[in-house]
Amino acid sequence: MTQSRQSQVSLADTPYYHCISRCVRRAYLCGEDKYTGQSFEHRRQWMVERLHQLASIFSINICAYAIMSNHYHLVLHIDEQDNYLLSNEQVCQRWGGLYSMPTLIDRWLKGQTISAEEKKTVLNIINRWRDRLADISWFMRCLNEFIARKANSEDDCTGRFWEGRFKSQALLDEDALLTCMAYVDLNPIRAKMTKSVETSEYTSAYERIHGVAFKDEGKLTTSLLGLNFQKKPLFGFVGDEQESQSSLSSQQGIPFSLLDYIKLVDWSARILREDKKGAIPSQHPKLLNALGLDSEHWLSLASSFGKDYQGAVGSLEELALFAEHTGKRWIARKNELHRNMH
């Protein structure tokens, strides 16, 4: 049964969410359509540019992404602190980067005299916009609608471009976050679209390694989409800096070392690509040892995380709290990640 998005998001438990959206048509979102021979590779660049534009507007950070042929994956971080610190004027400026500004708000910004009742209305509107700037549903809506309109225009057709609603998973602890990010970055490897992380374009791992997301360099980017915006980098890694903090919700960065993460993804990619899961090297990546993760289970999860877990992923205790905070009576035991990891 379809669940409301409100019942799938609890910032009291985690700011990290894995989102997936799939194309509804036989024609691909990206890649080459084997039926027509038409290539849609250029749409990958549309996706990456739109993602970075939205990240610069929303109080939402991009931790990981992979743009595939008929779907894409995102790992998003909702930044409540950034959202709270925005002034009312900044909220208006950001929202105005997406939608036209109502006359009433425009008058308020220009300091023109308006009544007390109008000022109250203005503040209600701004508060509603502020909430939306920290809402993954609005983030995904602004991404999917934009790409759908552009693709339909290119294809000279109308109708739905994406399957229903996007899917989301709450990542309740460090193990779930690490596994999901690696699962996302390893997508092109598992699909045999590329041989290594270093050549896996249109993924966050590739962008982190090469520092490439756009065709032209510079802080102010004029993209292929004709959009001018301040490029916001991917959400940063903080390594050991956050060891004293007890929960993901209190951290202001991905709680791992970037170098350790890249080494883990590269190590996993070599085994998955060479189909040698039964011959796992004895030298384990540092992150697996630090978190006490089993190599065989790790590789299994890195291959099937998105299929095996639904709704929320974490320890049994964290799942129970998440269920309580989102008004659920229970969450399936299969979503307990640690049971399979230790």
Side-chain angles (χ1 to χ4, degrees):
M1 181 181 294
T2 301
Q3 300 178 21
S4 68
R5 195 64 62 189
Q6 186 177 4
S7 70
Q8 296 174 295
V9 175
S10 172
L11 295 182
D13 295 292
T14 180
Y16 293 97
Y17 295 85
H18 173 211
C19 301
I20 310 166
S21 204
R22 293 184 178 276
C23 187
V24 74
R25 297 193 196 129
R26 183 191 71 189
Y28 285 176
L29 162 65
C30 306
E32 183 173 323
D33 186 342
K34 64 181 180 180
Y35 293 97
T36 66
Q38 186 175 358
S39 174
F40 300 101
E41 279 294 313
H42 57 284
R43 292 180 181 174
R44 298 184 196 273
Q45 189 70 19
W46 293 359
M47 291 290 299
V48 173
E49 293 186 5
R50 183 63 172 177
L51 276 175
H52 278 279
Q53 187 210 18
L54 292 177
S56 71
I57 293 173
F58 283 79
S59 295
I60 292 177
N61 298 299
I62 301 171
C63 302
Y65 69 83
I67 313 302
M68 304 300 288
S69 294
N70 64 351
H71 69 285
Y72 67 85
H73 294 262
L74 300 176
V75 177
L76 301 176
H77 168 266
I78 301 174
D79 193 339
E80 281 191 290
Q81 182 177 358
D82 173 76
N83 192 252
Y84 174 77
L85 293 175
L86 290 176
S87 67
N88 288 336
E89 290 77 11
Q90 288 174 317
V91 170
C92 293
Q93 182 182 24
R94 290 194 183 194
W95 195 253
L98 295 170
Y99 299 99
S100 58
M101 198 66 61
T103 302
L104 183 61
I105 301 295
D106 188 53
R107 288 173 54 209
W108 177 80
L109 288 171
K110 292 177 179 178
Q112 296 177 357
T113 302
I114 56 178
S115 67
E117 188 62 32
E118 286 178 323
K119 287 181 180 179
K120 182 179 178 180
T121 301
V122 165
L123 291 179
N124 287 337
I125 293 172
I126 292 175
N127 287 334
R128 186 164 66 248
W129 289 349
R130 186 187 297 276
D131 290 341
R132 291 176 180 178
L133 289 176
D135 188 327
I136 59 172
S137 291
W138 274 91
F139 183 98
M140 296 293 287
R141 173 179 178 175
C142 290
L143 174 61
N144 283 352
E145 282 188 359
F146 182 90
I147 297 299
R149 290 178 186 277
K150 195 166 180 63
N152 279 348
S153 176
E154 183 178 67
D155 295 340
D156 192 24
C157 66
T158 58
R160 300 181 66 172
F161 186 77
W162 302 100
E163 284 184 356
R165 301 194 312 168
F166 69 92
K167 298 178 181 179
S168 68
Q169 294 173 304
L171 307 174
L172 301 179
D173 59 23
E174 292 184 359
D175 287 11
L177 174 61
L178 174 65
T179 309
C180 186
M181 286 182 61
Y183 168 79
V184 169
D185 275 322
L186 288 168
N187 259 266
I189 305 292
R190 292 195 306 273
K192 302 188 184 300
M193 294 170 59
T194 185
K195 294 183 178 180
S196 70
V197 177
E198 290 85 352
T199 60
S200 186
E201 293 186 284
Y202 302 105
T203 65
S204 50
Y206 183 91
E207 181 175 337
R208 292 186 190 277
I209 292 171
H210 299 284
V212 174
F214 302 99
K215 298 293 184 180
D216 51 331
E217 298 297 330
K219 293 184 178 179
L220 184 64
T221 301
T222 303
S223 71
L224 295 176
L225 304 181
L227 305 168
N228 292 324
F229 59 93
Q230 196 80 11
K231 178 186 172 183
K232 183 179 181 181
L234 297 174
F235 199 40
F237 285 75
V238 295
D240 299 326
E241 299 174 15
Q242 302 286 344
E243 283 187 350
S244 62
Q245 299 185 359
S246 59
S247 68
L248 288 179
S249 60
S250 63
Q251 296 172 351
Q252 288 304 309
I254 301 169
F256 313 108
S257 158
L258 173 58
L259 180 59
D260 288 344
Y261 174 75
I262 294 298
K263 286 182 177 179
L264 173 61
V265 174
D266 181 65
W267 177 84
S268 305
R270 293 176 188 276
I271 298 172
L272 294 174
R273 179 64 189 181
E274 295 171 7
D275 296 322
K276 294 182 179 179
K277 299 178 187 178
I280 300 173
S282 58
Q283 186 68 30
H284 295 176
K286 180 179 177 181
L287 273 180
L288 292 189
N289 294 328
L291 296 177
L293 304 183
D294 178 86
S295 297
E296 292 186 7
H297 282 139
W298 162 260
L299 290 170
S300 175
L301 288 167
S303 300
S304 59
F305 183 90
K307 298 177 182 178
D308 291 346
Y309 298 93
Q310 306 295 327
V313 186
S315 69
L316 188 59
E317 295 77 10
E318 288 159 339
L319 287 169
L321 285 173
F322 182 80
E324 179 183 344
H325 294 156
T326 54
K328 295 182 174 68
R329 296 182 63 182
W330 56 273
I331 291 181
R333 176 84 183 242
K334 68 178 182 179
N335 290 334
E336 183 192 357
L337 187 63
H338 295 251
R339 180 165 55 92
N340 297 321
M341 298 295 286
H342 296 293

